Amino acid sequence: MEVIKIKGTDDTPSVVLDKDNEIFEISGRSLPEDVTTFYEPILNWLDEYAENPNSKTVFSFKLVYFNTASSKLLLDILMKLEEMYENGNDILIKWYYPEDDEDMEEAGEEYSDIVDVPFEQVSYVL
Amino acid sequence: MDKHNVKGFLEFVYDFYRSMKAHEITLVYEGEITHQITKAFTSLTESNMAKQEESNTVQKKVFHVMVECLQNISKHADTFGSDDYLFAGRGIFMVSKGSEDYHVTTGNVIENRKIEELTDMLEEINSLDKEGLKQLYKRQMREGRLSDKGGAGLGFIDIARKTGNKLEYHFLPIDETSSFFLLSSSISRTL
């Protein structure tokens, strides 16, 4: 399957979606000029991946900032993962937040309330 | 400009400068809000705050509020005096710093017919406590759809949550069809 590798900028996150190497990660800052255009290929990739996923999928979010428009698209990603989980796949979400960033920690808690999928919060030092 | 007018204008510039100083305005802009402008203003303010050794929490909150305010103007500001779309997405944007708070203030034209809905939304947000805002945010994220302009309807809720303060707003009439919408958010420097 095609690998998605997007290098982050000061307004778009780094994205790695690599089925063979089992890397699924979004990190950095997200306030793209056009959120839909930025996230569309990622959502499409997940649709394709969902048809034939690995035996286990650990999806990592390691964001330091995202705007409200991105928050909606992040939920769309999580909902696709939730759907895969409901279909019997082994899915784990890892939500990384800087240890002093309560807002990012709380954002993770909120997402875990909304979607029904195994969710792990991981704090780290920036 | 003749010589007399030049002098008047330059005196105005000096008065303008003094008012900015008096109100501790660190950034003021009037015009179209583009993505490039948003990036430039946020990075400028970030580096200023870093120099002044504001805490990370304050820096992040100011950043959040600035981005949402700027995007509100670029997505929602209406035109005035022209049907030309080039005049939409403009407004005034201001950051000021007091001894205890940062203030992010925006002003833009809005059609009168939208005032009621906007007021209801702002009043609902202002009536909620921390937990209520959290529930509203979650509900809006789940049920809301992204508009064709890429707005998620979450900006005001996010500002209220990040600042922990009520949204201060005001409408000033322009004519029968439009008004000027002002919004000011305060971020405490002692977070």
Side-chain angles (χ1 to χ4, degrees):
Chain A
M1 197 179 165
E2 178 211 357
V3 174
I4 291 192
K5 208 164 191 172
I6 303 168
K7 202 170 174 297
T9 66
D10 56 1
D11 59 356
T12 53
S14 298
V15 182
V16 183
L17 298 173
D18 185 340
K19 182 178 193 268
D20 292 343
N21 292 306
E22 299 178 57
I23 305 172
F24 312 89
E25 188 178 276
I26 299 182
S27 59
R29 273 156 75 135
S30 180
L31 59 152
E33 181 164 16
D34 181 343
V35 278
T36 315
T37 308
F38 183 83
Y39 281 100
E40 199 175 20
I42 296 164
L43 293 165
N44 290 340
W45 190 93
L46 280 169
D47 282 336
E48 198 188 324
Y49 176 74
E51 287 168 20
N52 182 25
N54 293 347
S55 60
K56 182 169 176 64
T57 307
V58 179
F59 203 109
S60 300
F61 292 86
K62 199 170 183 178
L63 293 157
V64 289
Y65 170 81
F66 58 88
N67 64 352
T68 58
S70 300
S71 72
K72 176 80 186 145
L73 274 302
L74 295 176
L75 180 63
D76 289 345
I77 293 172
L78 287 165
M79 283 166 69
K80 289 206 185 293
L81 295 163
E82 178 188 39
E83 202 179 310
M84 289 173 64
Y85 176 67
E86 282 167 353
N87 291 335
N89 295 293
D90 189 353
I91 309 280
L92 174 65
I93 311 294
K94 282 194 169 183
W95 184 269
Y96 291 86
Y97 61 91
E99 64 166 3
D100 62 346
D101 191 339
E102 283 173 26
D103 288 335
M104 193 53 78
E105 182 180 6
E106 201 176 342
E109 281 165 19
E110 285 165 27
Y111 280 126
S112 71
D113 288 347
I114 298 175
V115 289
D116 185 15
V117 61
F119 205 104
E120 198 179 301
Q121 295 254 32
V122 189
S123 81
Y124 67 97
V125 182
L126 262 184
Chain B
M1 259 190 269
D2 60 36
K3 208 166 182 182
H4 180 71
N5 280 346
V6 172
K7 186 160 180 277
F9 177 70
L10 294 179
E11 279 169 357
F12 160 73
V13 172
Y14 181 57
D15 286 344
F16 187 65
Y17 168 81
R18 284 201 312 188
S19 326
M20 279 185 69
K21 286 286 171 198
H23 291 96
E24 296 191 74
I25 296 163
T26 54
L27 176 64
V28 61
Y29 172 84
E30 191 283 327
E32 189 189 359
I33 306 289
T34 61
H35 190 64
Q36 294 308 321
I37 291 281
T38 302
K39 278 167 65 172
F41 287 180
T42 46
S43 76
L44 179 69
T45 306
E46 265 189 321
S47 59
N48 281 340
M49 287 190 297
K51 260 186 240 159
Q52 285 148 12
E53 297 179 348
E54 296 290 355
S55 75
N56 278 338
T57 314
V58 172
Q59 290 193 36
K60 274 192 176 160
K61 286 185 194 285
V62 172
F63 187 91
H64 265 274
V65 172
M66 284 181 72
V67 170
E68 297 303 326
C69 284
L70 288 162
Q71 293 190 334
N72 274 344
I73 301 177
S74 75
K75 291 181 176 125
H76 302 295
D78 290 319
T79 59
F80 174 62
S82 167
D83 287 333
D84 194 329
Y85 72 94
L86 286 172
F87 287 87
R90 298 174 67 96
I92 186 165
F93 178 80
M94 214 161 89
V95 179
S96 49
K97 193 185 82 177
S99 53
E100 287 172 12
D101 306 275
Y102 276 94
H103 301 281
V104 177
T105 308
T106 58
N108 59 267
V109 175
I110 180 172
E111 289 174 23
N112 287 337
R113 59 185 177 85
K114 295 179 186 165
I115 291 180
E116 195 183 334
E117 192 187 349
L118 180 57
T119 306
D120 288 349
M121 191 199 286
L122 293 165
E123 282 304 312
E124 182 186 6
I125 292 168
N126 279 347
S127 73
L128 296 170
D129 61 4
K130 196 167 185 277
E131 185 58 30
L133 286 169
K134 179 178 174 167
Q135 296 309 327
L136 181 64
Y137 191 91
K138 277 159 70 173
R139 196 176 77 216
Q140 182 66 23
M141 198 161 49
R142 226 175 20 230
E143 296 170 4
R145 295 184 63 86
L146 219 55
S147 73
D148 53 359
K149 291 176 184 165
L154 296 164
F156 290 136
I157 313 173
D158 191 51
I159 293 169
R161 294 186 68 193
K162 292 287 179 340
T163 64
N165 292 320
K166 301 292 176 205
L167 303 167
E168 301 289 344
Y169 66 95
H170 196 51
F171 295 97
L172 294 166
I174 296 174
D175 59 20
E176 311 84 66
T177 52
S178 10
S179 294
F180 201 68
F181 168 55
L182 290 141
L183 177 79
S184 189
S185 318
S186 309
I187 302 107
S188 167
R189 294 178 64 192
T190 50
L191 287 169

